Amino acid sequence: VCSMGNSTSRLYSALAKTLSSSAVSQHQDCLEQPDSAQLDPIDPKDLLEECQIVLQKRPPRFQRDFVNLKKNTVSNHRPIRVMQWNILAQALGEGKDNFVQCPMEALKWEERKCLILEEILEYKPDILCLQEVDHYFDTFEPLLSRLGYQCTFFPKPWSPCLDVEQNNGPDGCALFFLKDRFELINSANIRLTAMKLKTNQVAIAQTLKCNETGRLFCIAVTHLKARTGWERFRSAQGCDLLQNLKDITQGAKIPLIICGDFNAEPTEEVYREFSNSSLNLNSAYKLLSPDGQSEPPYTTWKIRPSGECRHTLDYIWYSQHALNVNSALGLLTEEQIGPNRLPSFNYPSDHLSLVCDFSFNQDPDRLL
């Protein structure tokens, strides 16, 4: 740990307290919401500087640029920036995922945590949707709440993280939004079902009011079942999530954004269900393709003992009748990712973050 001047030592002390994975030692206590309201706000520039000090021996961040997707649309309000990211649960990265080309040193939580925070702080999302969060109570909630976010976490009922020795509790989905931009109207934690049976996968759906425009919209985050052979299961989970969202949005009267690791390629049935839903959804990252009809070639790229895995699994869906995609963050190139793939000393997760800027359609009564 490098020494720092007095002006940053108090902030670094707060950051360093989150480096210990023993902060949540009792799993039965992991659902108790800690009280961060009494803590002082953090300047995001100061926190970013502290993260960069921790990371100074690592290679610099990859450069990614936003692609302007505006089609001569005029908006009289600030865009809403939404970030989707499976950040890789620490227990799984160290204990179960077997990234054979990734040195264990690159997975050290003390530094990987700062890489994750650096990515978030660089892109400054208004709304942040995360999967595989197993350090919510000792890291993300304490820090992001002090950055002005309202925080919600919903763990998996039987998280695989709990099978890993010295784990930090269950992983789950987390949703964060800036309190100065939005007001929470309604929040629902959804345990997804398949064939009428409750499953181990979850979602969070929140109805927010944009303080600038007064417009309502729903933001949802989910993480569907992984592994080949579970395609029908994912399809059933997707149908359940869509039905819940139809109820919450009153049949798409309230605009909708859905972020998630669907663990499904665009060829799977669950993808077609979302594409053809009566909610009139489109996948934002299709707009990066020349014809606007093709998903990116990959959103995750890793090497396991069974071989190389290069897939498109992560999506940001949106109500195309009510929302416009102003821009989207370009993906890392194969050259940037490198031959050992992800995660790495450069990048903290095996999934790429997706970031989009949205604006409301100026005709709120436009029909589906």
Side-chain angles (χ1 to χ4, degrees):
V1 177
C2 303
S3 61
M4 290 166 282
N6 291 335
S7 62
T8 58
S9 60
R10 183 175 63 85
L11 175 59
Y12 183 77
S13 176
L15 176 62
K17 287 178 182 177
T18 73
L19 296 177
S20 170
S21 62
S22 62
V24 184
S25 58
Q26 299 297 321
H27 300 152
Q28 62 266 30
D29 297 333
C30 69
L31 297 180
E32 294 180 8
Q33 188 79 5
D35 183 11
S36 300
Q38 305 304 317
L39 298 176
D40 294 335
I42 297 176
D43 187 323
K45 293 181 180 179
D46 289 342
L47 182 59
L48 179 60
E49 179 183 333
E50 298 306 332
C51 288
Q52 291 170 342
I53 289 172
V54 174
L55 297 170
Q56 62 183 345
K57 293 184 179 180
R58 291 211 178 200
R61 287 183 72 257
F62 293 124
Q63 178 63 40
R64 298 171 66 186
D65 297 319
F66 280 90
V67 179
N68 188 351
L69 299 170
K70 285 183 179 179
K71 297 180 180 178
N72 300 319
T73 58
V74 178
S75 175
N76 56 8
H77 67 87
R78 286 184 295 162
I80 297 171
R81 177 162 291 181
V82 177
M83 184 174 190
Q84 147 62 29
W85 199 11
N86 178 331
I87 61 172
L88 174 61
Q90 184 64 21
L92 300 183
E94 289 184 314
K96 297 191 77 171
D97 276 346
N98 295 317
F99 302 116
V100 294
Q101 296 295 103
C102 178
M104 286 301 294
E105 185 74 11
L107 296 172
K108 286 174 55 179
W109 180 241
E110 290 83 355
E111 296 177 6
R112 197 174 79 83
K113 184 271 297 282
C114 289
L115 275 179
I116 295 170
L117 289 170
E118 183 183 45
E119 183 95 343
I120 295 168
L121 291 164
E122 284 285 354
Y123 296 125
K124 306 179 182 69
D126 300 302
I127 300 172
L128 174 62
C129 296
L130 302 180
Q131 300 86 38
E132 291 200 22
V133 180
D134 64 345
H135 276 268
Y136 176 81
F137 291 109
D138 65 356
T139 299
F140 294 105
E141 195 278 340
L143 289 175
L144 291 177
S145 65
R146 296 174 69 185
L147 292 170
Y149 289 92
Q150 183 155 326
C151 313
T152 304
F153 176 62
F154 191 23
K156 296 174 185 173
W158 312 299
S159 167
C161 293
L162 300 180
D163 296 331
V164 178
E165 189 175 351
Q166 295 182 330
N167 65 77
N168 199 61
D171 76 300
C173 293
L175 198 161
F176 309 84
F177 66 85
L178 287 176
K179 292 184 288 186
D180 66 351
R181 290 215 63 186
F182 311 106
E183 177 187 348
L184 178 63
I185 304 300
N186 181 62
S187 184
N189 288 354
I190 303 166
R191 184 172 170 186
L192 299 176
T193 64
M195 287 70 84
K196 298 186 178 180
L197 296 175
K198 292 182 178 180
T199 73
N200 193 35
Q201 279 63 49
V202 300
I204 303 169
Q206 295 187 333
T207 302
L208 307 180
K209 183 172 79 170
C210 176
N211 292 334
E212 185 177 347
T213 66
R215 299 279 295 271
L216 295 179
F217 68 100
C218 177
I219 179 76
V221 56
T222 194
H223 188 187
L224 301 187
K225 173 66 180 173
R227 305 287 182 251
T228 302
W230 291 85
E231 291 82 3
R232 291 184 62 190
F233 197 83
R234 281 190 288 273
S235 176
Q237 289 182 327
C239 286
D240 182 49
L241 179 57
L242 285 170
Q243 185 56 56
N244 275 278
L245 294 174
K246 286 176 186 175
D247 295 340
I248 291 170
T249 63
Q250 303 168 32
K253 289 182 180 179
I254 299 173
L256 175 62
I257 300 171
I258 310 165
C259 296
D261 174 0
F262 280 61
N263 276 306
E265 291 274 12
T267 54
E268 274 199 32
E269 180 64 28
V270 67
Y271 182 93
R272 292 191 291 272
E273 287 163 356
F274 273 72
S275 295
N276 299 325
S277 166
S278 62
L279 293 172
N280 196 24
L281 300 171
N282 193 22
S283 175
Y285 264 72
K286 284 167 55 176
L287 302 180
L288 289 180
S289 66
D291 61 359
Q293 300 299 314
S294 304
E295 292 289 353
Y298 51 84
T299 62
T300 179
W301 202 341
K302 63 203 109 182
I303 301 175
R304 285 177 166 152
S306 57
E308 196 158 346
C309 305
R310 178 179 178 267
H311 300 292
T312 299
L313 306 178
D314 307 272
Y315 306 96
I316 299 179
W317 298 91
Y318 69 101
S319 300
Q320 57 187 334
H321 65 284
L323 297 166
N324 301 308
V325 184
N326 297 354
S327 61
L329 182 64
L331 300 175
L332 293 177
T333 65
E334 180 178 358
E335 182 180 14
Q336 286 176 311
I337 290 173
N340 293 331
R341 308 315 183 197
L342 305 174
S344 65
F345 281 108
N346 301 73
Y347 200 78
S349 176
D350 54 327
H351 289 252
L352 299 178
S353 63
L354 308 181
V355 186
C356 290
D357 290 335
F358 290 95
S359 61
F360 290 107
N361 189 302
Q362 293 307 297
D363 181 3
D365 297 320
R366 184 178 174 185
L367 296 177
L368 296 181

